[in-house]
Amino acid sequence: MNFNVILPRGSSILSFVFFAFLIDQWRERRRPYQLIWAIGMLWYALSAGTEFLGGAVGWSEPLYRVWYL
């Protein structure tokens, strides 16, 4: 595999982990900024995940639409 596949995969996995931590913090403290950060981290994780899938198996229209969203 090349770095165009490995880096987005690692970035997506790490972003999902950070998303889980941020949601856990939000559940305990209910601070609005933690929810906003969690949502942003989720969007980034999904984007990096679609970039990984696009590099690994090829781009399709639905995959590109999720990435662009």
Side-chain angles (χ1 to χ4, degrees):
M1 284 194 191
N2 60 17
F3 282 112
N4 290 334
V5 176
I6 294 171
L7 290 178
R9 184 177 98 188
S11 179
S12 179
I13 291 169
L14 189 61
S15 296
F16 276 119
V17 170
F18 285 154
F19 166 73
F21 286 145
L22 287 166
I23 284 295
D24 186 50
Q25 282 183 358
W26 178 76
R27 285 182 187 155
E28 291 178 10
R29 301 177 192 154
R30 297 289 179 180
R31 304 278 189 224
Y33 64 87
Q34 290 169 330
L35 182 61
I36 298 299
W37 272 99
I39 292 169
M41 193 59 62
L42 176 64
W43 284 115
Y44 181 77
L46 291 172
S47 175
T50 58
E51 189 175 344
F52 160 70
L53 288 174
V57 297
W59 287 94
S60 64
E61 184 177 339
L63 189 62
Y64 181 73
R65 287 178 183 260
V66 172
W67 176 81
Y68 190 75
L69 179 66

